[in-house]
Amino acid sequence: MKMRLILLSTLFVVSAGAMAQGTLTDYNRAYSLSNKFSNDNVYNLPADIKFKDSTNTYYYTENSATGKRYVAMDAGTNNSKSFGSKEELYKYLDIKLPEAVKPQFGRKHERHWMEVDEEKDTHPVVSPDGKLEAYIEGENVVLHEVGKPYTEKRILSTDGTLSNYYSAWIQWSADSKYIMTCKRRPVEKRYVYYVESSPADQLQPILHKQEYAKPGDELPFKVPCIFDVNTGKEVIASTQLFDKQFSLDGFTWTADNKEVIFEYNERGHKVYRVLAMSAQTGKVRTIIEETATTFVNYPRHYRYDFADTSKMIWMSERDNWNHLYMYNVSKGKVINQITKGTWCVREVIKVDEKTNTIYFSACGVNPNEDPYQIHYYRIGMDGKNMICLTPAEGNHQAVFSYDMKYVVDKYSKVDTPPVTELRSGIDGKLISTIAKADISKLKESGWVAPEIFKAKGRDGITDIWGIIQRPTNFDPTKKYPVIEYIYAGPGDAYTPKSFIAYNWNTTALAELGFIVVQMDGMGTAWRGKKFEELCYKNLKDAGFPDRQLWIQAAAAKYPYMDASNVGIFGASAGGQESTTAVLLHGDFYKAAYSSCGCQDNRMDKIWWNELWMGYPVDKSYEECSNVVNAHKLQGALMLVVGELDDNVDPSSTYQVANALEKAGKDFELVVLPGVHHTMGEKFGEHKRFDFFVKNLLKVNPPKWNEITK
């Protein structure tokens, strides 16, 4: 009996050892993978592919077993030359090397992307005929004859004031007969403040002040004005068609100098118009109008004006799919829909007016492929003769020659290494295979490809696509907690589709003893507008019903995935969403690492939040707020914030921390000195590793000083 107990005890110890995860060995292996799985260990993979000017010569760099190579190839002859350095390549191609970056001393203020130009930086704008110049003086428009003293001038306007002044953004008509500008009514600006606690160049902390408009804030208002240079007559546009401005921009003169075309984005983003203002009467008419009951996804709009401005190509989701339309500018009518089908145009590469051809990328055209995979096409402006120029299955990245005669096409999938080909830009026929990536060194180091997996979403019909990342020492007899990396929202789709040697979000984390997954639930982009709109005024949805079904479907297929032990992490919008997961879906998600999250959409930047949450700010903002919902926390939560986050106001994180404290909830808060918008950098990554090891694997992680990084 005693011997039996000893044997059972021994078997238990062996079994426990075999099942151990989150150990020092796992950590050391995880931290070693970024070097082992580096792109430097992928051979025959052309990078930085470019065509030289208008020639048939293209050039690139690639790694080989003997080192880095610099290659120039002639698309017409397929002849190539290799060089051992960039200097040799550039000398051969007669390309000037970029100048070395000069050291910068002291701190210089550079305009932040959130800063709104007050349009007061005045300077003389010379007319196309070179005879006159216009500028702003004393908030008014002034004309001056080139070459004469500046004391000799014509004052065209007298009604400009400090609070309603003429913009220094002046545009002449091509015939030099008219000047166009706007009267601009500014608003008081909002600022956020950051304390840089540990600056590298001085001992004392620094207070930073940044312009930062938030949802609901007042915005500047513009009124286009046109002056007849000869008579001095001013015509001012009626604001009836653009009286609720989020923005008014894109001002361009028509080729006949009779109108100025501009774009109006209505506050709340339910209306978007392309308008034209008459230079003689000031009358404004509509060329294009986009409307929606939810939102017009304006960041993806594309507009091409023909040289004679008689026609215009416009991108729209009006039939649920992102497509191109041809417009008659003078009539403000659609001539024809250029692209059509249950798929999405992604980007217009070139419009060739001479051949009436459009080159573009799109996804979802091939019904038997992952609908997110990008291919490249050409099509006639009449919508006929659409040709796929990159037909191989995979996600494509194409570089065209200047004359569009050739295309260098690199394609892959997350589980398939890249192939690079030279194809015809006319019919897509294969000319030559340039390279097939060699990943043998990765495989020798234990590299494991993620699995592409799909499952039905909440409607039981729509496929939700994602990836499953397993550790290199994967053992199907073990039970693995699942961790989801999340980033959602209609701005894009976020799950990788191309080959990645080392995925910073999944590879090392999986190595600690997890299955790491990522997917695009409903409410993200490129599956049609109805798919996107589920998030409207409801960012807290974040596709969670689809995500949970997806993980459960994967676990049903792979029993080693423990769908009862799921964690989640993300940054920025993903930081908001991962926190939401443990507040509103704590029965499913047991632990969340949330970095730099916009935890309350009223605290974040104006454009992102008003686009998806609407204007004016209403109760839906409160309903989606992680601050308001903080008391619902279940499970473990680690909040991370960079003290210098200039994208999402750091106070958004501090406010949810405050609400959690007041609700008596246990959580962790990590503040990163000197760090901007981030997932956490090296320190935060290690904190994330330990957080999930403790809360999902239920073991104590190794001491930091024992780990080899």
Side-chain angles (χ1 to χ4, degrees):
M1 182 68 177
K2 184 176 182 181
M3 180 61 70
R4 184 183 177 191
L5 288 172
I6 292 172
L7 286 171
L8 286 173
S9 177
T10 302
L11 286 171
F12 175 78
V13 171
V14 171
S15 175
M19 296 298 288
Q21 294 165 299
T23 65
L24 176 61
T25 300
D26 294 325
Y27 271 77
N28 285 334
R29 192 173 61 256
Y31 276 113
S32 73
L33 296 185
S34 60
N35 288 325
K36 289 181 179 179
F37 299 163
S38 166
N39 267 336
D40 291 341
N41 294 325
V42 179
Y43 302 146
N44 305 330
L45 178 59
D48 301 321
I49 304 166
K50 297 181 178 70
F51 274 86
K52 181 181 183 297
D53 304 325
S54 58
T55 69
N56 291 335
T57 300
Y58 60 96
Y59 57 99
Y60 58 87
T61 62
E62 68 176 6
N63 296 316
S64 69
T66 58
K68 191 177 286 288
R69 298 195 312 141
Y70 299 83
V71 182
M73 296 194 72
D74 187 304
T77 65
N78 224 24
N79 292 332
S80 67
K81 285 184 177 292
S82 296
F83 304 89
S85 69
K86 180 179 286 187
E87 289 76 12
E88 292 175 4
L89 171 67
Y90 277 34
K91 183 178 180 180
Y92 170 76
L93 295 172
D94 194 25
I95 297 174
K96 186 179 179 181
L97 280 165
E99 294 182 6
V101 178
K102 295 180 180 179
Q104 180 175 312
F105 302 98
R107 292 179 175 235
K108 293 183 179 179
H109 175 77
E110 296 182 1
R111 183 184 294 275
H112 190 275
W113 63 268
M114 286 194 196
E115 290 185 38
V116 176
D117 189 343
E118 293 297 303
E119 302 173 23
K120 284 190 169 185
D121 186 13
T122 186
H123 59 278
V125 182
V126 181
S127 60
D129 63 11
K131 295 179 180 179
L132 297 171
E133 55 188 13
Y135 56 93
I136 303 300
E137 183 178 84
E139 287 73 51
N140 283 292
V141 182
V142 174
L143 263 186
H144 167 254
E145 190 173 334
V146 173
K148 289 190 175 182
Y150 279 95
T151 53
E152 298 181 22
K153 56 193 175 185
R154 289 173 59 198
I155 299 174
L156 293 184
S157 68
T158 57
D159 57 339
T161 66
L162 288 173
S163 58
N164 195 8
Y165 55 84
Y166 284 90
S167 167
W169 286 7
I170 293 170
Q171 291 193 46
W172 285 88
S173 61
D175 60 7
S176 301
K177 292 182 179 180
Y178 297 99
I179 294 170
M180 178 269 158
T181 186
C182 288
K183 284 197 76 174
R184 189 177 189 280
R185 189 169 68 235
V187 296
E188 185 174 354
K189 296 184 176 184
R190 180 192 297 276
Y191 296 90
V192 295
Y193 300 86
Y194 317 101
V195 175
E196 186 176 359
S197 64
S198 312
D201 55 351
Q202 67 182 56
L203 174 64
Q204 299 301 327
I206 299 171
L207 176 65
H208 295 278
K209 176 183 178 181
Q210 180 190 320
E211 183 179 326
Y212 198 116
K214 296 187 178 184
D217 286 353
E218 289 295 314
L219 294 176
F221 191 85
K222 296 180 184 180
V223 181
C225 310
I226 297 176
F227 294 88
D228 185 313
V229 173
N230 292 325
T231 66
K233 177 186 175 183
E234 177 185 14
V235 292
I236 302 173
S238 165
T239 62
Q240 182 178 358
L241 290 173
F242 53 93
D243 61 344
K244 299 174 183 176
Q245 296 175 23
F246 180 82
S247 64
L248 201 70
D249 50 31
F251 298 97
T252 55
W253 280 94
T254 55
D256 60 9
N257 304 300
K258 292 182 178 180
E259 291 180 308
V260 170
I261 296 173
F262 58 99
E263 297 185 14
Y264 164 61
N265 190 355
E266 186 173 282
R267 192 81 183 263
H269 309 297
K270 294 176 184 286
V271 176
Y272 197 101
R273 296 188 180 109
V274 180
L275 303 169
M277 174 186 175
S278 168
Q280 293 185 339
T281 67
K283 183 178 179 181
V284 178
R285 65 183 181 86
T286 300
I287 301 173
I288 298 172
E289 181 173 88
E290 294 287 339
T291 61
T293 56
T294 53
F295 55 82
V296 175
N297 199 340
Y298 70 89
R300 72 173 48 142
H301 278 164
Y302 169 85
R303 170 183 142 200
Y304 176 86
D305 295 350
F306 280 67
D308 63 4
T309 59
S310 65
K311 292 183 291 186
M312 184 180 291
I313 295 174
W314 181 251
M315 186 180 285
S316 169
E317 291 182 296
R318 64 185 61 177
D319 72 352
N320 187 55
W321 305 95
N322 203 48
H323 282 302
L324 301 176
Y325 296 79
M326 182 72 75
Y327 265 84
N328 181 305
V329 171
S330 63
K331 295 181 179 179
K333 300 289 185 182
V334 174
I335 299 172
N336 63 286
Q337 183 173 348
I338 301 169
T339 60
K340 188 180 296 186
T342 56
W343 47 272
C344 295
V345 172
R346 296 291 291 262
E347 180 184 6
V348 175
I349 310 302
K350 183 177 180 178
V351 175
D352 190 334
E353 293 188 39
K354 292 182 179 179
T355 63
N356 289 320
T357 304
I358 302 170
Y359 297 81
F360 65 98
S361 62
C363 63
V365 178
N366 301 332
N368 297 323
E369 282 188 23
D370 178 335
Y372 296 96
Q373 288 181 172
I374 295 172
H375 291 265
Y376 290 76
Y377 302 85
R378 59 175 286 168
I379 193 171
M381 291 181 185
D382 58 2
K384 298 178 181 179
N385 301 316
M386 181 167 143
I387 298 171
C388 182
L389 303 175
T390 58
E393 183 182 355
N395 197 45
H396 293 254
Q397 296 172 297
V399 179
F400 287 83
S401 60
Y402 282 70
D403 59 6
M404 310 304 284
K405 184 177 179 181
Y406 299 103
V407 55
V408 178
D409 174 30
K410 182 164 63 176
Y411 62 92
S412 65
K413 295 191 289 186
V414 292
D415 59 356
T416 308
V419 175
T420 308
E421 298 173 337
L422 177 65
R423 289 184 173 271
S424 165
I426 299 172
D427 56 19
K429 287 184 179 179
L430 178 66
I431 297 172
S432 65
T433 299
I434 299 169
K436 291 184 178 181
D438 177 0
I439 62 169
S440 56
K441 192 170 182 181
L442 293 184
K443 290 184 174 180
E444 289 171 6
S445 300
W447 184 83
V448 177
E451 177 187 348
I452 300 169
F453 185 80
K454 64 179 179 179
K456 298 301 180 186
R458 70 187 79 180
D459 61 2
I461 300 171
T462 307
D463 285 331
I464 304 299
W465 290 75
I467 58 171
I468 299 172
Q469 181 74 60
R470 300 171 178 84
T472 62
N473 64 346
F474 171 69
D475 182 350
T477 65
K478 290 184 178 182
K479 200 76 170 176
Y480 290 89
V482 178
I483 301 176
E484 179 185 351
Y485 168 63
I486 188 171
Y487 195 103
D492 207 342
Y494 306 97
T495 303
K497 299 299 171 184
S498 296
F499 179 87
I500 304 174
Y502 181 83
N503 186 325
W504 289 94
N505 292 318
T506 63
T507 303
L509 182 58
E511 205 64 18
L512 301 179
F514 303 106
I515 301 292
V516 185
V517 302
Q518 184 180 354
M519 79 238 32
D520 289 300
M522 292 186 180
T524 53
W526 306 121
R527 300 289 296 278
K529 187 163 176 57
K530 292 178 181 177
F531 190 97
E532 294 174 352
E533 289 178 330
L534 284 171
C535 78
Y536 182 61
K537 287 188 175 293
N538 189 27
L539 283 177
K540 69 180 185 298
D541 178 276
F544 282 122
D546 313 302
R547 297 172 187 280
Q548 294 176 35
L549 288 169
W550 190 97
I551 291 172
Q552 289 166 346
K557 182 176 181 179
Y558 302 118
Y560 49 78
M561 292 178 63
D562 188 355
S564 67
N565 193 16
V566 180
I568 190 169
F569 73 102
S572 193
Q576 176 184 17
E577 292 144 4
S578 52
T579 301
T580 300
V582 287
L583 299 186
L584 304 183
H585 305 278
D587 56 334
F588 187 83
Y589 294 99
K590 309 305 181 187
Y593 172 100
S594 305
S595 185
C596 293
C598 40
Q599 306 289 358
D600 186 313
N601 298 104
R602 296 168 293 187
M603 288 292 294
D604 191 32
K605 66 194 77 67
I606 189 170
W607 80 267
W608 169 273
N609 299 278
E610 285 196 6
L611 179 53
W612 316 130
M613 292 294 294
Y615 172 84
V617 174
D618 58 18
K619 194 170 180 61
S620 64
Y621 280 79
E622 181 180 332
E623 292 169 349
C624 290
S625 169
N626 287 336
V627 177
V628 173
N629 292 316
H631 66 282
K632 300 176 183 178
L633 175 65
Q634 300 179 54
L637 173 62
M638 177 177 282
L639 297 172
V640 180
V641 64
E643 69 172 5
L644 294 179
D645 189 344
D646 58 354
N647 187 325
V648 175
D649 185 347
S651 292
S652 189
T653 295
Y654 299 140
Q655 288 183 2
V656 77
N658 178 55
L660 289 165
E661 289 178 9
K662 289 182 176 179
K665 296 295 182 178
D666 185 22
F667 69 101
E668 297 179 63
L669 175 64
V670 178
V671 179
L672 302 173
V675 174
H676 292 261
H677 198 58
T678 182
M679 178 65 82
E681 301 190 354
K682 287 186 177 180
F683 184 84
E685 179 183 59
H686 199 153
K687 295 292 287 185
R688 182 168 77 251
F689 289 0
D690 287 357
F691 173 77
F692 286 126
V693 165
K694 284 188 291 188
N695 289 288
L696 297 182
L697 292 177
K698 306 297 183 184
V699 299
N700 290 321
K703 295 180 179 179
W704 284 35
N705 60 0
E706 296 176 344
I707 298 170
T708 302
K709 294 187 180 179

